[in-house]
């Protein structure tokens, strides 16, 4: 390789190739192998290195190249494979079968080479390929657009590459001229699965395993029923681990207990399968499409956490994929056609027919030995251990917890303590006392606002009764374990109950304000907290019954307020971190950073609205201000605010006028986005009154800047323009113009609407540095969006194209999906004016579908989009327009953005006009 060759840096696509079976081919051809190898090298250099690839290494039959553009790399590999396939080799047997692998990663060359793990990953991708096949990683697939004509990337699934711990999603390049059918990729795991790794031995249940195995071979849906702690999960995992090879597309374990909302069941399954949600498209459609051609087993655990949603997902999966089988664990059956219900028995507590120990006793013996450093129980203890097993009704979870206690107690001591620990529970089984989880404590599974309340069904009432029985059994077990905890471990267990989902180690540290490793280790060791390892670090969660028990103990200890206020403080801290970079300085707000916090923030808001500080709740709601609207959740945001207002009225808590003004202003924006215009105006007026009382000029400017919005929504455009001008003039006079940015945007939209394009452009252009200085605003790129609209109205397609694409890239990169709808609509207009009517119709359809999913109102742009669509329909005709519009409606926001960003730049050749004939701007009337 020449030292002068240019090596790309940044996002680099590495390509490895070699001849499959080169040793065999050399032996077969003998002296004829060398000319075949030379011709192979010439073809690859012409097609790979000759199309922008930097050749780093050629050794024997292998090539190593680097491309600065993933799409160019994929195109080069396609050309190379076609050249190899179409070449006139001496004999058909002499044709070399070349495998190619691509991976894209961030890398910088040093001294003429790359020292990066991304290179090794690319080599492993190539090693997984077969001769004639082109494989690429997910990172390359994401950056490979646009693909060559007729080409596509076939998702092969997740695989573990040799030398790497994580799994990589591999894609196969499919195109005319290439082979399509190959064996499975050559990877470390021939059959993928994510079954939990068990650290303890599986004891007993030989007959149950055999029976359940026969059922899963015969039926496509088998539901394992049993009480909490009966060992359903462990048996299902043990069975699945023994039949992995029977399912070429994998065995996948999904824990429904982690799902806190019925609508998220499908998302949890998709995440396990490595599927990304497609905004604008139901996740179930994505799941069914993925499963349709695959043969796999899905193990759905603890479906009783979300029985109805689980049943719906199972039904759709089985109907859409003939090769899909489901093994579910639950407390109740689904009642689905074809479902086989198998009830798990308790572990046998009676000696076997051969006189051997029962399964329950064998399990306790095994776990006792493990708890005592490998020393088996003393023969003198065995009678007491059998007594313990009988008292625990052969429940595996209770036996596991009992063994943990035997670290510090003898079997006799444990047996004596059982009377004290379980006596109260046994006496009260006929009339169970109310459980905290039924009382709706703020950290339970109902941590989201119920926007559409569903009436209780017989199945749900049965589930509630089953839940009580399960919790009674678990309460006895957890109580018995809880009493052996030290003070620090018991306190941590109680305080962890305030979290709605899994937490990481730094979060636990924040909660305690102390090093949590020691007490957390105790809880994990006692099976009271589950540790779930991930590449980024372990997370920790409690099963719901234990969480409910811990919540009751939290109340009894008089610590609930302190713990939940600490959780609220953590939530505020997490919100603040989402606005800051690694150096602690403000960064452009990305709404994607708020998505993972939603569950915990809802739990914190629930506490603020029911037992905590409404003032803290208003601050949390304010941190999600734009997120509610951009995610189509404006109504939920309004409902939380109403709850917090009610809390203020209930407690009489003093809220500073400035904070009330900010809350009312946010409420007004939510109401406008939700189409409740009278409420929008009412809270706008309240916000102004409170802001004037506060005496904060910046706050008042922000509130006044929103005054025009309700006027626009009610069609009072002239009045809205007058208000905007007054606010802007006042803001300049008070030197708070940056806080009046919304008024500038609103005025520019009004000027654009009535055709005052020069004034609009001058106004918006002057606002660019103001927008750039505000991290919470600049990700929206409203300035570029508005300048793009002005350019469209002037007929300047070049300027329109450049401004709108800049705006769309930023909006999608930072999660402003609602704002991106308007930009996609504007790019559709640009396509219509630029002679691309079909693309324009597709973009209009995509934007409307996304807006409908977000339940967002069209706002001031609505009539303009409608007028352009009417004109486009006239140009295309009804049939062509409807077909393209419908095709666009099938696209999600990311697909629509990719289509819009792929629109070619207007032709700037010397003989091409820069300006089209000016299109009519929106109505030029100044009256509302």
């Amino acid at each position: 390789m020449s030292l002068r060759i240019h090596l790309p840096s940044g996002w680099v696509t590495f390509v490895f190739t070699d001849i499959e079976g080169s040793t065999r081919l050399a032996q077969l051809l003998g002296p004829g192998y060398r000319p075949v190898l030379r011709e192979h090298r010439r073809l690859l250099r012409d097609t790979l290195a000759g199309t922008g690839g930097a050749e780093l290494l050629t050794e024997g039959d292998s090539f190593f190249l680097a491309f600065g553009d993933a799409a160019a790399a994929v195109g080069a590999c396609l050309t190379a494979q076609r050249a190899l396939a179409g070449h006139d080799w001496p004999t058909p047997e002499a044709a070399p079968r070349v495998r190619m692998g691509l991976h894209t990663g961030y890398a910088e060359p040093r001294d003429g080479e790359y020292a990066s793990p991304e290179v090794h990953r690319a080599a492993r991708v190539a090693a997984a390929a077969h001769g004639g096949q082109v494989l690429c990683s997910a990172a390359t697939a994401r950056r490979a657009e646009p693909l060559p004509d007729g080409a596509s990337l076939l998702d092969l699934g997740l695989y573990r590459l040799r030398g790497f711990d994580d799994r990589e999603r591999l894609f196969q390049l499919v195109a005319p001229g290439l082979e399509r059918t190959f064996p499975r990729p050559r990877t470390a795991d021939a059959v993928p699965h994510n079954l939990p790794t068990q650290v303890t031995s599986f004891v007993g249940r030989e007959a149950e395993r055999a029976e359940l195995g026969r059922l899963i071979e015969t039926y496509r849906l088998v539901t394992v029923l049993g009480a909490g702690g009966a060992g359903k999960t462990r048996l299902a995992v043990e069975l699945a681990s023994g039949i992995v090879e029977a399912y070429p597309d994998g065995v996948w374990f999904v824990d429904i207990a982690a799902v806190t909302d019925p609508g998220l069941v499908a998302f949890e399954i998709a995440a396990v399968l490595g599927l990304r949600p497609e905004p604008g498209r139901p996740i179930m459609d994505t799941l069914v499409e993925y499963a349709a051609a695959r043969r796999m087993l899905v193990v759905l655990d603890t479906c009783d956490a979300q029985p109805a949603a689980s049943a719906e997902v199972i039904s759709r999966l089985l109907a859409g994929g003939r090769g899909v089988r489901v093994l579910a664990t639950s407390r109740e059956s689904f009642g689905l056609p074809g479902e086989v219900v198998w009830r798990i028995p308790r572990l046998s507590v009676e000696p076997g027919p051969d006189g051997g120990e029962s399964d329950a006793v064998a399990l306790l013996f095994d776990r006792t030995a493990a708890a005592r450093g490998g020393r088996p129980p003393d023969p003198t203890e065995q009678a007491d251990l059998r007594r313990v097993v009988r008292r625990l009704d052969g429940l595996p979870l209770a036996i596991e917890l009992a063994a943990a206690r035997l670290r510090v107690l003898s079997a006799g001591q444990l047996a004596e303590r059982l009377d004290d620990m379980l006596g109260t529970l046994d006496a009260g089984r006929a009339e169970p006392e109310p459980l905290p989880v039924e009382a709706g404590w703020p950290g339970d599974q109902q941590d989201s606002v119920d926007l559409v309340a569903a009436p209780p069904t017989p199945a749900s009432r049965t589930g509630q009764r089953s839940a009580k029985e399960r919790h009674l059994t678990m309460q006895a077990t957890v109580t018995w374990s809880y009493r052996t905890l030290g003070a620090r471990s018991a306190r941590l267990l109680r305080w962890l109950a305030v979290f709605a989902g899994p937490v990481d180690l730094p979060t636990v540290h924040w909660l305690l304000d102390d090093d949590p490793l020691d007490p957390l280790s105790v809880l994990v060791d006692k099976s009271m907290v589950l540790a779930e390892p991930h590449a980024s670090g372990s997370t920790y969660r409690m099963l719901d019954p234990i969480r409910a028990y811990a919540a009751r103990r939290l109340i009894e200890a008089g610590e609930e307020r302190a713990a939940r206020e600490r959780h609220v403080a953590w939530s505020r801290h997490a919100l603040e971190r989402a606005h800051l970079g690694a150096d602690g300085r403000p960064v452009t707000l990305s709404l994607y950073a708020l998505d993972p916090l939603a569950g915990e923030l809802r739990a914190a808001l629930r506490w603020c609205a029911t037992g905590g500080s409404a003032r803290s709740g208003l601050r949390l709601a304010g941190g999600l201000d734009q997120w509610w609207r951009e995610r189509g959740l404006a109504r939920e945001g309004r409902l939380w605010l109403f709850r917090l207002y009610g809390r203020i009225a209930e407690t009489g808590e003093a809220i500073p006028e400035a904070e009330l003004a900010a809350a009312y202003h946010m409420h007004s924006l939510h109401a406008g986005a939700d189409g409740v215009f009278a409420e929008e105006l009412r809270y706008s007026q309240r916000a102004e009154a409170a802001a004037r009382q506060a005496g904060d000029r910046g706050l008042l400017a922000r509130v006044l800047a929103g005054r025009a919005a309700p006027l626009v929504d009610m069609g009072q455009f002239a009045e809205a323009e007058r208000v905007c001008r007054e606010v802007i003039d006042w803001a300049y006079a008070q030197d708070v113009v940056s806080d009046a940015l919304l008024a500038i945007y609103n005025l520019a939209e009004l000027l654009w609407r009535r055709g005052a394009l020069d004034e609009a452009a001058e106004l918006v252009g002057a606002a660019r540095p103001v927008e750039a200085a505000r991290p919470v605003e600049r990700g929206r790129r409203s300035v570029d969006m508005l300048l793009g609209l002005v350019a469209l109205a002037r007929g300047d397609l070049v300027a329109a194209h450049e401004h709108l694409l800049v705006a769309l890239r930023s909006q999608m990169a930072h999660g402003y999906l609602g704002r991106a709808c308007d930009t996609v609509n504007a790019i559709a207009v640009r396509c219509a004016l630029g002679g691309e009517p079909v693309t324009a119709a597709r973009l209009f359809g995509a934007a409307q579908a996304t807006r409908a999913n977000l339940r967002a109102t069209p706002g001031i742009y609505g009539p303009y989009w409608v007028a352009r669509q009417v004109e486009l329909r006239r140009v295309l005709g009804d049939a062509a327009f409807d077909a393209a519009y419908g095709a666009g409606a099938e696209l999600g926001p990311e697909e629509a953005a990719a289509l819009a960003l792929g629109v070619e730049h207007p032709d700037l050749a010397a003989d091409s006009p820069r300006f089209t004939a000016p299109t009519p701007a929106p109505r030029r009337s100044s009256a509302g």
Side-chain angles (χ1 to χ4, degrees), residues 518-589:
D518 182 54
L520 185 60
S521 298
V522 172
L523 295 179
V524 171
D525 188 49
K526 294 178 181 293
S527 303
M528 303 188 77
V529 169
L530 301 181
E532 300 174 328
H534 305 281
S536 58
S538 293
T539 57
Y540 308 92
R541 71 177 180 90
M542 291 189 292
L543 296 175
D544 287 336
I546 297 179
R547 189 195 312 277
Y549 177 89
R552 165 175 284 190
R553 286 292 187 175
L554 187 70
I555 296 172
E556 292 173 354
E559 300 169 337
E560 182 181 32
R561 178 169 296 279
R564 295 202 182 279
E565 292 297 342
R566 189 69 177 163
H567 180 251
V568 169
W570 175 87
S571 300
R572 289 175 55 189
H573 175 67
L575 273 177
E576 292 169 2
R577 284 186 302 174
H579 290 73
L580 303 176
D583 58 357
R585 302 177 63 181
V587 295
T588 302
L589 174 62

Side-chain angles (χ1 to χ4, degrees), residues 700-708 721-733 736-737 739-744:
L700 182 58
R702 291 193 296 276
V703 170
L704 292 176
R707 285 174 54 188
E721 182 175 334
R722 183 191 66 77
V723 168
C724 285
R725 293 184 185 279
E726 286 183 357
V727 171
I728 294 170
D729 291 343
W730 178 84
Y732 271 107
V736 289
V737 68
D739 290 298
L741 192 57
L742 180 58
I744 295 174

Side-chain angles (χ1 to χ4, degrees), residues 724-725 728 732 737-738 740-753 756-773 777 780-791 794 799 803-804 806-807 811 819 861:
C724 285
R725 293 184 185 279
I728 294 170
Y732 271 107
V737 68
S738 65
L741 192 57
L742 180 58
I744 295 174
Y745 294 155
N746 287 337
L747 179 56
E749 290 173 341
L750 291 163
L751 293 171
W752 164 83
R753 178 183 175 277
L757 304 180
D758 291 343
E759 185 180 358
E762 181 180 357
L763 178 69
V764 176
R768 185 182 292 280
V770 179
E771 179 185 71
E777 295 287 347
R780 293 163 55 91
R781 294 302 284 258
S782 297
V783 167
D784 280 296
M785 164 66 181
L786 290 167
L787 288 175
L789 286 172
V790 170
R794 288 172 168 170
H803 284 300
L804 293 174
V806 165
Q811 290 158 358
R819 189 62 169 168
Y861 305 119

Side-chain angles (χ1 to χ4, degrees), residues 445-786:
Q445 291 187 0
Q446 307 301 320
D447 280 333
S448 58
V449 175
D450 191 4
L451 299 181
V452 183
T457 64
S460 67
R461 285 190 287 267
T462 301
Q464 291 167 4
R465 290 193 300 269
S466 178
K468 290 182 179 180
E469 295 167 0
R470 172 187 178 186
H471 293 164
L472 283 173
T473 302
M474 294 303 300
Q475 180 173 321
T477 305
V478 177
T479 298
W480 150 67
S481 181
Y482 178 83
R483 289 180 180 175
T484 66
L485 293 177
R488 293 182 67 210
S489 299
R491 179 173 180 266
L492 176 57
L493 182 73
R494 296 193 299 269
W495 283 51
L496 282 176
V498 301
F499 284 96
V503 296
D504 56 16
L505 194 61
T507 299
V508 182
H509 192 290
W510 169 278
L511 182 69
L512 292 183
D513 196 21
D514 188 13
D515 183 2
L517 188 57
D518 182 54
L520 185 60
S521 298
V522 172
L523 295 179
V524 171
D525 188 49
K526 294 178 181 293
S527 303
M528 303 188 77
V529 169
L530 301 181
E532 300 174 328
H534 305 281
S536 58
S538 293
T539 57
Y540 308 92
R541 71 177 180 90
M542 291 189 292
L543 296 175
D544 287 336
I546 297 179
R547 189 195 312 277
Y549 177 89
R552 165 175 284 190
R553 286 292 187 175
L554 187 70
I555 296 172
E556 292 173 354
E559 300 169 337
E560 182 181 32
R561 178 169 296 279
R564 295 202 182 279
E565 292 297 342
R566 189 69 177 163
H567 180 251
V568 169
W570 175 87
S571 300
R572 289 175 55 189
H573 175 67
L575 273 177
E576 292 169 2
R577 284 186 302 174
H579 290 73
L580 303 176
D583 58 357
R585 302 177 63 181
V587 295
T588 302
L589 174 62
S590 172
L591 299 186
Y592 295 128
L594 302 183
D595 291 333
L597 302 176
E600 297 299 340
L601 293 174
R602 286 181 172 119
L605 281 170
R606 178 175 290 276
W607 166 252
C608 292
T610 57
S613 165
R615 183 181 182 185
S616 295
L618 292 176
R619 292 175 179 173
L620 290 175
L624 292 172
D625 180 14
Q626 296 188 72
W627 184 84
W628 297 118
R629 298 190 295 278
E630 292 290 337
R631 292 295 179 268
L633 299 172
R635 183 184 180 195
E636 182 179 346
R638 290 169 50 228
L639 292 176
W640 280 118
L641 289 172
F642 280 129
R643 290 185 173 195
L644 292 170
Y645 301 152
R647 179 65 177 170
I648 294 171
E650 176 187 347
T651 63
E653 182 180 6
I655 310 294
E657 293 292 337
E659 295 176 24
L660 279 177
Y664 292 153
H665 176 56
M666 172 174 55
H667 194 142
S668 176
L669 296 176
H670 288 344
D674 209 23
V676 189
F677 302 136
E679 184 177 314
E680 177 188 22
L681 178 61
R682 182 166 68 254
Y683 278 92
S684 175
Q685 293 168 342
R686 291 183 182 180
E688 180 179 348
R692 293 188 182 281
Q693 286 287 331
D696 183 331
R697 290 179 299 174
L699 172 64
L700 182 58
R702 291 193 296 276
V703 170
L704 292 176
R707 285 174 54 188
L711 297 173
V712 169
D713 289 333
M714 292 185 290
Q716 300 178 24
F717 301 110
E719 178 63 14
E721 182 175 334
R722 183 191 66 77
V723 168
C724 285
R725 293 184 185 279
E726 286 183 357
V727 171
I728 294 170
D729 291 343
W730 178 84
Y732 271 107
Q734 300 295 321
D735 195 26
V736 289
V737 68
S738 65
D739 290 298
L741 192 57
L742 180 58
I744 295 174
Y745 294 155
N746 287 337
L747 179 56
E749 290 173 341
L750 291 163
L751 293 171
W752 164 83
R753 178 183 175 277
R754 66 178 179 84
L757 304 180
D758 291 343
E759 185 180 358
E762 181 180 357
L763 178 69
V764 176
R768 185 182 292 280
V770 179
E771 179 185 71
R774 295 180 64 83
V776 296
E777 295 287 347
R778 58 187 178 221
R780 293 163 55 91
R781 294 302 284 258
S782 297
V783 167
D784 280 296
M785 164 66 181
L786 290 167

Side-chain angles (χ1 to χ4, degrees), residues 837-852:
V838 174
T839 300
R842 289 183 67 195
L843 290 174
F844 275 131
Q848 177 55 34
T850 300
R851 185 175 294 282

Side-chain angles (χ1 to χ4, degrees), residues 229-299:
K232 302 183 297 295
T233 299
R234 186 65 191 270
L235 178 59
V237 171
E238 187 70 14
L239 172 68
S241 65
I243 56 176
V244 168
E245 296 296 333
Y247 296 90
D249 294 302
V251 175
W252 304 105
F253 179 87
V254 185
D255 186 5
I256 305 300
V259 181
T260 59
D261 186 275
L264 299 180
V265 170
F267 284 89
E268 185 73 8
I269 298 174
V272 167
L273 294 176
L275 303 178
R276 295 179 60 192
E278 301 172 24
R281 184 188 187 194
I283 192 64
M284 270 310 310
D285 291 353
T286 303
L287 274 176
V288 171
E289 179 182 353
Y290 176 84
R294 285 172 166 80
R295 184 180 174 191
M296 62 183 182
L297 174 65
V298 181
V299 182

Side-chain angles (χ1 to χ4, degrees), residues 156-411:
L156 300 181
L158 292 168
Y159 295 87
R160 180 169 286 107
L161 302 178
R162 300 184 190 278
F164 290 86
D165 293 332
D166 59 332
R167 290 182 292 142
E168 179 65 55
R169 183 168 292 282
L170 296 180
F171 293 80
Q172 176 185 321
L173 179 62
V174 177
L178 298 188
E179 292 183 52
R180 181 184 179 95
T181 304
F182 295 93
R184 295 181 59 80
R186 299 183 176 101
T187 56
D189 52 347
V191 179
H193 71 84
N194 72 329
L195 295 172
T197 300
Q198 305 299 326
V199 296
T200 58
S201 59
F202 186 84
V203 178
R205 292 208 185 275
E206 294 295 332
E208 291 92 332
R209 247 193 304 184
E211 181 182 358
L212 189 57
R214 288 191 294 270
L215 291 176
I216 199 64
E217 287 177 3
T218 307
Y219 302 95
R220 296 183 61 206
L221 170 59
V222 177
T223 304
V224 180
L225 294 190
K232 302 183 297 295
T233 299
R234 186 65 191 270
L235 178 59
V237 171
E238 187 70 14
L239 172 68
S241 65
I243 56 176
V244 168
E245 296 296 333
Y247 296 90
D249 294 302
V251 175
W252 304 105
F253 179 87
V254 185
D255 186 5
I256 305 300
V259 181
T260 59
D261 186 275
L264 299 180
V265 170
F267 284 89
E268 185 73 8
I269 298 174
V272 167
L273 294 176
L275 303 178
R276 295 179 60 192
E278 301 172 24
R281 184 188 187 194
I283 192 64
M284 270 310 310
D285 291 353
T286 303
L287 274 176
V288 171
E289 179 182 353
Y290 176 84
R294 285 172 166 80
R295 184 180 174 191
M296 62 183 182
L297 174 65
V298 181
V299 182
L300 295 182
D301 187 43
T302 323
C303 293
D304 47 272
Q306 303 292 348
S310 298
E312 180 182 359
V313 172
I314 292 170
S315 178
R316 292 285 305 277
L317 278 176
L318 294 179
R322 295 177 59 85
V324 177
R325 291 176 184 260
V326 175
L327 176 61
T329 72
S330 181
R331 295 192 312 266
E332 55 183 319
S333 64
F334 302 110
L336 293 174
E339 179 187 17
V340 173
V341 178
W342 185 81
R343 291 189 177 275
I344 186 171
R346 67 174 187 171
L347 285 174
S348 171
V349 297
E350 301 298 334
D354 58 356
E357 294 292 354
S358 68
D359 285 349
V361 172
L363 176 62
L364 184 55
F365 282 6
D366 180 85
R367 297 302 188 257
T368 300
R372 293 176 172 178
R375 293 181 292 107
D378 189 275
T380 60
E381 294 183 299
Q382 293 183 6
D384 285 325
L385 291 178
R386 295 187 184 96
R387 177 182 164 199
V388 168
V389 165
R390 290 181 180 276
R391 291 297 306 273
L392 296 177
D393 290 330
L395 288 173
L397 179 56
I399 293 172
E400 298 274 359
L401 293 172
R405 303 288 69 75
L406 290 170
R407 287 192 178 95
V408 294
L409 299 174
S410 68

Side-chain angles (χ1 to χ4, degrees), residues 410-426:
S410 68
Q413 289 173 323
L414 178 60
E416 292 172 0
R417 289 175 63 88
L418 287 179
D419 286 335
D420 177 57
M421 296 177 68
L422 301 179
T424 301
L425 178 62
D426 292 341

